[in-house]
Amino acid sequence: MNATLVLPELDTNSFWHDESGFVGIYDVPHFIKTLKYDVRIVMSIPEITTNGKTKKLKGQQLRPPRDAPVSWYATDALETMKKYGAIYLSPFSHRLAEDIDNPELQRLRCRVNYHALRFKPNIMKTSSEIVNKLRSEGHFMSIHLRFELDMLAFAGCFDIFKPQEQKILWKYREEHFAEKELIPMKIRLKGKCPLTPEEVGFILRAMGFDNRTRIYLASGELFGGKRFMKPFKTMFPRLENHSTVGPGKLEENTQGLAGSAVDYMVCLLSDIFMPTYDGPSNFANNLMGHRMYYGFRTTITPNRKALAPILIDRMEGRHIGFERIRRVMSNTHFGAPHKRVHPESFYTNSWPECFCQTDAKNHADRCPPDNINDVLESQFQSEEEMEEARASNQTDPSSQIEELTI
């Protein structure tokens, strides 16, 4: 019995998985080619022939539990797939437990995230041009400034905004998120609020970055207008984004995702990356993990909970010296290898599962041979030949439904 992955015919409203996003910004042929040794991937559900009649196989929607264990897919999902012949999983984000006692499945995640998922050539070209332009003037830092309406409404950090702005935030929250009691100061003390642009600037200044620092900003439309950006621009005037430093207008028909894709690549390749909110943010979490995977690149991850009392003192007008900030920031990992401790995400830190060892005692942890692609191709060809032989021996047309489609 084979399982086949169908590249999506459904809209899951996810940066990584929706149809317009996947087909619009990702290099689909590369995705299929890279994973061909792991899973069979097709672009549409095949037709089936039963009792001489041909019809299109319809997928049954299945809603996976959040952080579902592997056993759920091997039981509930498999039984549904056997019953209907095809299933589609929706929603899809965070539907598999992060900590799995199967190193090879964890490595497959890394093969998908860091090898198979690649943006289309035009996006890669634009990103490369931006990075080269920035690098022509020296090192540069990238910052993911998460200070947009949706994230602020989700976090519930309304106390720093004007009454009219608070009304907008409350309205958005009521329309998009579950009702919940919000006490902004408690949220802030827990480190659950996105850093403001001014707070980001204050932290960077405390760490020794000055007004000569070149910064690439990855962000959507900032909520609250220019008054939140003005202090940051005063501290760091050398600011760029994909619109100011890019070669031209990005492609349309990608639902605005092309700009986010370029931002991702520039942040990935920057000398230093700093996320300002790593809560429910696939962008920041995947970037931190991606940068670690490709050589432990420097990442500044502010501990917002430890910084909260300091920033609250500053917000309330008390004088704050840089030394308190430095003490907190000196305890960050800066992208170096470290053992993952809950609640740190696997997508943020895939060490050690996705890192091979040259002198590993366990055979499974050893680095692959230099000719690994030749080895995999040989195995793949052998499996294909066995599959063709099996198919040629099947005479009952109804047996086609045995090839199940996910």
Side-chain angles (χ1 to χ4, degrees), residues 93-361:
S93 181
H94 301 288
R95 299 297 147 173
L96 178 63
E98 292 202 7
D99 290 313
I100 299 173
D101 190 21
N102 185 325
E104 191 50 42
L105 280 180
Q106 297 291 63
R107 290 167 186 147
L108 177 58
R109 278 175 154 164
C110 289
R111 287 198 291 279
V112 172
N113 284 346
Y114 309 137
H115 294 277
L117 282 172
R118 186 173 71 184
F119 296 119
K120 284 187 171 181
N122 65 300
I123 291 175
M124 299 295 281
K125 181 175 182 291
T126 298
S127 305
S128 179
E129 289 173 355
I130 290 175
V131 170
N132 289 339
K133 188 173 181 180
L134 291 169
R135 281 255 169 81
S136 67
E137 298 186 27
H139 297 298
F140 74 97
M141 172 190 297
S142 62
I143 297 176
H144 183 221
L145 198 54
R146 200 69 169 96
F147 206 70
E148 299 98 339
L149 170 63
D150 61 336
M151 189 53 69
L152 291 167
F154 171 83
C157 305
F158 301 164
D159 52 335
I160 62 173
F161 295 98
K162 296 176 180 179
Q164 189 58 38
E165 292 168 341
Q166 292 188 24
K167 288 181 181 178
I168 296 171
L169 290 166
W170 274 114
K171 184 175 184 296
Y172 188 94
R173 182 176 178 84
E174 289 168 358
E175 292 173 351
H176 294 87
F177 304 115
E179 185 176 347
K180 179 181 177 182
E181 182 184 12
L182 297 177
I183 303 176
M185 187 55 72
K186 284 188 176 181
I187 298 171
R188 197 169 296 283
L189 280 169
K190 291 178 181 179
K192 299 293 186 181
C193 292
L195 295 172
T196 69
E198 185 174 3
E199 288 170 343
V200 173
F202 184 66
I203 292 168
L204 290 177
R205 275 299 181 89
M207 295 180 69
F209 294 97
D210 59 27
N211 60 6
R212 295 171 296 176
T213 305
R214 193 126 192 239
I215 296 176
Y216 179 91
L217 279 182
S219 68
E221 183 178 353
L222 300 186
F223 185 75
K226 295 180 180 179
R227 66 188 177 91
F228 280 101
M229 277 302 296
K230 186 176 179 180
F232 184 75
K233 285 185 175 180
T234 301
M235 287 184 273
F236 297 97
R238 301 186 69 194
L239 298 178
E240 304 285 0
N241 57 43
H242 65 248
S243 297
T244 61
V245 75
K249 191 174 182 180
L250 296 168
E251 272 191 14
E252 300 294 339
N253 71 20
T254 58
Q255 292 192 353
L257 293 179
S260 296
V262 169
D263 283 346
Y264 185 95
M265 287 306 303
V266 176
C267 289
L268 175 63
L269 299 172
S270 63
D271 299 292
I272 300 172
F273 170 62
M274 179 179 180
T276 59
Y277 189 65
D278 56 343
S281 173
N282 288 338
F283 186 100
N285 285 332
N286 279 281
L287 259 171
M288 286 189 281
H290 208 158
R291 288 176 64 87
M292 176 179 278
Y293 186 79
Y294 280 112
F296 304 106
R297 294 177 175 175
T298 303
T299 299
I300 299 173
T301 311
N303 183 335
R304 295 191 310 281
K305 186 175 182 179
L307 288 168
I310 305 172
L311 297 177
I312 288 172
D313 282 348
R314 186 172 185 272
M315 184 175 67
E316 293 177 348
R318 288 183 280 276
H319 175 73
I320 301 301
F322 284 162
E323 186 55 35
R324 288 178 67 188
I325 296 286
R326 292 194 191 103
R327 281 199 297 269
V328 172
M329 296 304 297
S330 65
N331 292 322
T332 60
H333 296 290
F334 295 103
H338 61 278
K339 189 170 180 60
R340 188 172 63 255
V341 178
H342 183 78
E344 188 176 18
S345 167
F346 174 83
Y347 299 105
T348 299
N349 177 13
S350 60
W351 191 88
E353 294 96 328
C354 289
F355 295 81
C356 67
Q357 302 169 30
T358 54
D359 299 318
K361 294 180 180 179

